């Protein structure tokens, strides 16, 4: 890319330009332990051959999730950056996005070729959504083991995320969770898609990866206003 | 004296100035400060800051060193901006020379970028394009803050007062989050500390055009040592 490319026919084919000319940024939020890091790991494995990815983790303790991802070898280590959030994960993704925005912009500038930046929030509560100033799309991850009444309780995460994931359906029988009821309750709270899956199972993120491919395509082909 | 173009783009009436001061003082101002404890977590893990008297002593230590140094720096920078004689390269060198710990230098530049990003979005002003130039977009926090405060229309005294407020606030907020300090008590400590050190706003503003080399830079080695250890510490909750 860049200096070497000889694409001069932009009169016929407008070059794909994303709004603001930057990568698509996707936030991944949800309660503690619902499977956010596992989802990021699985997405990196699934998508890294076709898309250039960057990952920002928000950790309660120093850089735990970033280390977990690095040690799994799902992406080159320089593509994973940890942001520390001073006891307040939701503040860092919503009210004061400065540290995250700084990390995102630094990472994207350093790598230069990123198509999608994934920002994992620290585990938080049902009201923690990402600011539109930080991400362009958001995925909210809940799980069957966290209680099957969570979709009914609702809250901004469940109601407004662009994609809601009900994770760990493999555990549902063991914890007495009714996945179909969770899906029904979720559908009542929101209009967007709901995906029930186990992100750690083989092929468990296929649908989510497909959703991301579409989002990336739309983003990089949309005409700036 | 002052550049009419710059002058014209900056708020110059009491209403905008007052509004800007209020917004810049608010702990919710999105400049990333919430993830920093101004050395409290470092000191608390190395020593014992559980006792309220210890919190006051710690605040006194911060204000007597970093607080005073920053007051002079913010005073000197805002005066030079107002006077149109600011040299950002020189400023960068002078600020850098007053921060000993490499970890704290990094933190200062991170916070500087964040202040600048927030400032540019809220108060677009050509001055804010220049602050980061000497260090490829990575100004020190006091430089970025002083520039933002200036374009927002704050006086040097107000800029220093706001800066010291955030220094104290970082400490007391960390005490609430890490030690469960009663938030009402925290506000009392905050208030008392700002009162005890109120003179710094006047002393700092009096720095004016004093040559850089004549500006004192009080510091305490424990702050820098603790910061270095904190930066290497596992399981910390705050960036600094
Ligand atoms: N059985 C099962 N376990 C899962 C699944 N997804 C994640 N887990 C497990 O759930 C635990 C937490 O997963 P993480 O991916 O670390 O969750 P997280 O949301 O990133 O956690 P925090 O960042 O601490 O909030 C780990 O032990 C995972 O292996 C799943 O689909 N099924
Ligand atoms: Mg995680």
């Amino acid at each position: 890319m860049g200096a070497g490319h000889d694409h001069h026919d932009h009169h016929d084919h407008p070059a794909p330009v994303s709004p603001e000319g930057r990568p698509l940024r996707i936030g991944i939020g949800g309660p503690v332990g619902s499977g956010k890091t596992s989802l990021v790991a699985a997405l990196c494995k699934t998508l890294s051959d076709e898309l250039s990815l960057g990952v920002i983790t928000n950790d309660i303790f120093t850089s735990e999730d970033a280390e977990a991802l690095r040690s799994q070898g799902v992406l080159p280590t320089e593509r994973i950056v940890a942001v520390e959030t001073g006891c307040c994960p939701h503040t860092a993704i919503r009210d004061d996005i400065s540290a995250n925005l700084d990390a995102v912009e630094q990472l994207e500038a350093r790598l230069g070729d990123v198509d999608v930046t994934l920002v994992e929030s620290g585990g938080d509560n049902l009201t923690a959504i990402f600011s539109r100033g930080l991400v362009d799309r958001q995925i909210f991850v809940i799980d069957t083991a966290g209680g099957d009444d969570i979709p009914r309780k609702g809250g901004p995460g469940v109601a407004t995320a662009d994609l809601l994931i009900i994770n760990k359906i493999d555990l549902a029988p063991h914890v007495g969770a009714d996945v179909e009821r969770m899906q029904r309750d979720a559908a009542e709270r929101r209009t967007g898609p709901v995906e029930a899956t186990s992100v750690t199972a083989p092929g468990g993120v296929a649908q989510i990866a497909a959703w991301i491919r579409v989002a990336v395509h739309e983003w990089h082909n949309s005409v700036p206003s | 004296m002052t550049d009419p173009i710059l002058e014209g783009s900056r708020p110059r009436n009491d209403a905008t100035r007052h509004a800007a001061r209020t917004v810049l003082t608010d702990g919710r101002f999105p400049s990333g400060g919430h993830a920093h404890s101004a050395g409290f977590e470092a000191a608390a893990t190395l020593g014992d800051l559980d006792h309220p008297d210890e919190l006051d002593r710690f605040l006194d230590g911060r204000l007597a060193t970093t607080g005073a140094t920053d007051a002079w720096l913010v005073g000197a920078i805002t005066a030079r901006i107002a006077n149109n004689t600011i040299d950002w390269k020189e400023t960068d060198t002078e600020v850098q020379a007053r921060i000993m710990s490499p970890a704290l230098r990094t933190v200062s530049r991170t916070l500087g970028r964040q202040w600048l990003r927030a400032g540019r979005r809220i108060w677009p002003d050509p001055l804010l394009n220049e602050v980061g130039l000497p260090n490829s977009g990575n100004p020190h926090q006091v430089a970025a803050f002083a520039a933002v405060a200036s374009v927002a229309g704050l006086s040097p005294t107000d800029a220093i007062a706001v800066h010291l407020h955030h220094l104290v606030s970082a400490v007391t907020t960390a005490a609430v989050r890490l030690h469960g300090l009663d938030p009402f008590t925290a506000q009392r400590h905050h208030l008392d500390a700002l009162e005890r050190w109120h003179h710094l706003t006047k002393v700092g503003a009096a720095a004016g055009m004093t040559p850089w080399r004549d500006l004192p830079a009080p510091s305490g080695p424990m702050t820098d040592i603790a910061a270095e250890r904190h930066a290497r510490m596992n399981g910390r909750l705050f960036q600094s």
Side-chain angles (χ1 to χ4, degrees):
Chain A
M1 290 293 284
H5 87 131
D6 54 0
H7 200 256
H8 292 305
D9 55 347
H10 51 274
H11 294 292
D12 305 311
H13 309 281
V17 182
S18 54
E20 304 174 46
R22 58 161 176 76
L24 176 68
R25 297 168 184 167
I26 301 180
I28 297 175
V32 178
S34 62
K36 299 178 292 298
T37 305
S38 307
L39 170 64
V40 171
L43 286 174
C44 290
K45 278 187 208 140
T46 310
L47 292 169
S48 60
D49 285 344
E50 51 189 292
L51 292 171
S52 169
L53 302 172
V55 172
I56 305 285
T57 64
N58 281 205
D59 296 298
I60 296 191
F61 288 118
T62 24
S63 53
E64 200 140 305
D65 282 10
E67 287 311 326
L69 288 170
R70 289 188 188 121
S71 66
Q72 291 181 56
V74 292
L75 272 190
T77 55
E78 74 273 12
R79 292 187 168 262
I80 305 168
V81 168
V83 168
E84 294 158 71
T85 57
C87 300
C88 258
H90 56 271
T91 304
I93 61 162
R94 185 185 59 199
D95 310 277
D96 185 353
I97 57 175
S98 283
N100 267 312
L101 206 50
D102 189 58
V104 168
E105 287 177 4
Q106 301 259 97
L107 178 72
E108 290 171 355
R110 176 161 56 78
L111 297 175
D113 66 348
V114 178
D115 299 308
V116 191
T117 305
L118 301 175
V119 184
E120 183 195 336
S121 157
D124 210 293
N125 61 55
L126 296 176
T127 67
I129 52 165
F130 283 84
S131 161
R132 294 288 168 194
L134 177 61
V135 300
D136 310 300
R137 301 277 187 284
Q138 47 192 312
I139 300 176
F140 200 70
V141 185
I142 58 175
D143 72 295
T144 59
D148 65 1
D149 52 348
I150 285 185
R152 188 181 49 75
K153 288 180 188 163
V158 167
T160 68
D162 299 291
L163 173 62
L164 177 71
I165 295 174
I166 300 171
N167 189 29
K168 307 192 192 178
I169 54 171
D170 56 309
L171 295 183
H174 307 289
V175 296
D178 181 344
V179 176
E180 274 170 31
R181 188 187 123 200
M182 292 180 83
Q183 285 174 295
R184 260 197 323 275
D185 289 346
E188 261 172 47
R189 297 265 172 231
R190 52 185 281 110
T191 48
V194 179
E195 185 62 36
T197 187
S198 291
V199 302
T200 50
V205 299
Q207 297 301 319
I208 304 162
W211 181 87
I212 288 181
R213 280 187 201 102
V214 172
V216 172
H217 181 81
E218 284 173 0
W219 178 258
H220 289 288
N221 289 285
S222 58
V223 181
S225 49
Chain B
M1 277 295 286
T2 36
D3 181 334
I5 297 167
L6 289 182
E7 178 80 25
S9 68
R10 291 182 199 152
R12 281 292 177 265
N13 69 57
D14 282 351
T16 45
R17 209 170 277 181
H18 179 78
R21 191 180 59 205
T22 310
V23 164
L24 283 170
T25 307
D26 193 335
R28 289 172 303 175
F29 188 82
S31 60
H34 74 96
H36 296 264
S37 75
F40 180 86
E41 187 176 40
T45 41
L46 290 179
D48 177 14
L49 286 182
D50 271 329
H51 196 273
D53 292 348
E54 293 289 326
L55 178 61
D56 286 335
R57 288 229 291 279
F58 180 73
L59 283 168
D60 284 345
R62 298 302 288 143
L63 285 158
T65 55
T66 308
T69 301
D70 284 3
W72 272 302
L73 286 172
V74 172
I77 298 167
T78 50
R80 283 162 175 75
I81 292 171
N83 200 24
N84 238 354
T85 54
I86 189 78
D87 174 341
W88 290 113
K89 172 113 195 66
E90 184 183 38
T91 303
D92 194 73
T93 308
E94 292 292 339
V95 176
Q96 171 99 347
R98 288 162 170 80
I99 306 172
M100 261 160 285
S101 144
L104 289 183
R105 287 180 175 182
T106 304
V107 164
S108 170
R109 291 198 188 278
T110 302
L111 285 169
R113 278 198 310 277
Q114 294 176 182
W115 265 103
L116 204 55
R117 181 183 289 102
R120 287 166 76 167
R121 292 283 294 275
I122 303 167
W123 292 279
D125 185 298
L127 182 87
L128 298 184
N129 300 334
E130 296 158 22
V131 186
L133 290 181
N135 206 292
S136 44
N138 302 292
H140 277 297
Q141 182 193 9
V142 273
F145 171 77
V148 171
S150 295
V151 302
L154 267 60
S155 67
T157 311
D158 281 349
I160 295 166
V162 170
H163 187 76
L164 296 179
H165 157 73
H166 286 305
L167 176 63
V168 173
S169 175
V171 172
T172 52
T173 304
V176 169
R177 292 189 193 165
L178 292 175
H179 288 170
L181 175 70
D182 169 358
F184 305 117
T185 309
Q187 292 302 313
R188 192 66 243 178
H189 286 285
H190 188 146
L191 206 59
D192 291 345
L194 289 182
E195 268 179 45
R196 280 198 303 283
W197 293 90
H198 175 67
H199 58 281
L200 288 183
T201 57
K202 297 205 179 72
V203 174
M209 297 304 294
T210 307
W212 291 109
R213 63 171 181 279
D214 295 334
L215 292 181
S219 67
M222 274 314 284
T223 305
D224 295 279
I225 293 166
E228 287 297 316
R229 286 181 58 171
H230 182 260
R232 291 164 180 74
M233 192 176 100
N234 248 330
R236 64 171 181 270
L237 292 166
F238 288 88
Q239 285 175 40
S240 72

